[in-house]
Amino acid sequence: MLALYKELGISDQVVELSNHVIDSLKDRFDEIDANAEYNQLKVIKALQSCKASEACLLGTSGYGYNDIGRDTLEEVYANIFHTEAALVRPQITCGTHALALALMSNLRPGDELLSPVGKPYDTLEEVIGIRPSKGSLAEYGISYRQVDLLKDSAFDYEGIRAAINDKTKLVTIQRSKGYQTRKTFSVTEIGELIAFVKSIRPDIICMVDNCYGEFVERIEPSDVGADMVVGSLIKNPGGGLAPIGGYIAGKKECIENAAYRLTSPGLGKEVGASLGILKDFYQGIFLAPTVVASALKTSIFAANLYEKAGFAVVPNGTESRHDIIQAITLTSPERVCAFCEGIQAAAPIDSFVTPQPWDMPGYDAKVIMAAGAFVSGSSIELSADGPIKEPYAVYFQGGLTWPHGKLGIMKSYQSLLDRGLL
Ligand SMILES: *Cc1c(COP(=O)(O)O)cnc(C)c1O
């Protein structure tokens, strides 16, 4: 083993240190495996009760009328998330698109959108119109209000009460921290926030940006009152196999609105050929619980390794997890780049390239990304990204298998060590 690690560029010192850290994490890994077992059963039960069949794995072309595989998959998602309906489509191009779709289809001119959890994910700023953009909600006369979090990421309940008014139609709650150093909310915390909002106005639609959160816990935000949960298939629920796609699961009316917006008024869910993609969607959701477990182990290992090296990590080494993201504040652009180079060098694909910071569409600072992925840009695969701005934090996530996640983190550490940055 040591010889193979050495051939992959990992010194005996880093192997020993890593194994020492991992030895202390056994109980946490056992808990992750137990959650994966629970969620695996949940998914299998959904596949069985929706009668997923061999015919479902085939695709349609053209209009895609009566696509049994597509329609059954949407039932499977609704069953897993315990919702009335779901929209799961390759025509939803990414997470931002799924979120924009959920918002644009359920808001009308004159309505107001409220984020009670501070600034939303960077790409949503243009969707909402916080940063002016063609076709934003703001251009359609939909206003936006935001209530920032209090110290320690606590909800500002009084601020939220004051922000809710007659125009408030939809509340958006981002579960994961995204590119911020706030904490990620547990499903239970999200449930408390939703209950508070509904106690003021029960008709307000509560949407949760569920990106990176799926299968981390045994329950999902839709189990605690969310009217819509939204995410990307090249993150957790695609299990590393889905090559594209997004989902919205929720109340029938919300999903219908989204479907009419995705395709066309009058057409809705009835059209949208699945082409040849469904086998990967089915197998992906089947694999997702154990893939998420591998990603979680990778995150916890990294948190503990880098905490030991003196860096601030969010979540810290011992905190409970509510998404697969790990933030490490590396405090310098050199370290952010060295970290990403290490992750890239451990990749199965494109291990020989050097990632460079670039002006990524939708983001306001240069971003460096390490991704040697089978699916371009997939962040359920081991990947790291860091905006080149204060506090020079790197955010990494994924790992389809735990041995690969472990190698990637070791390689990042070795990269910092070799450059004298530790
Ligand atoms: C990734 C992500 C998005 C956007 O998803 P893309 O697929 O990158 O467009 C939105 N919100 C959160 C919290 C995310 O992590």
Side-chain angles (χ1 to χ4, degrees), residues 194-216:
I194 292 172
F196 179 77
V197 170
K198 300 265 184 191
S199 77
I200 299 169
R201 283 250 324 271
D203 58 322
I204 292 176
I205 299 168
C206 291
M207 176 185 100
V208 175
D209 174 351
N210 208 22
C211 281
Y212 291 129
E214 298 92 349
F215 301 126
V216 171

Side-chain angles (χ1 to χ4, degrees), residues 255-268:
I255 300 303
E256 265 173 14
N257 284 337
Y260 287 125
R261 176 77 190 217
L262 175 65
T263 64
S264 159
L267 299 184

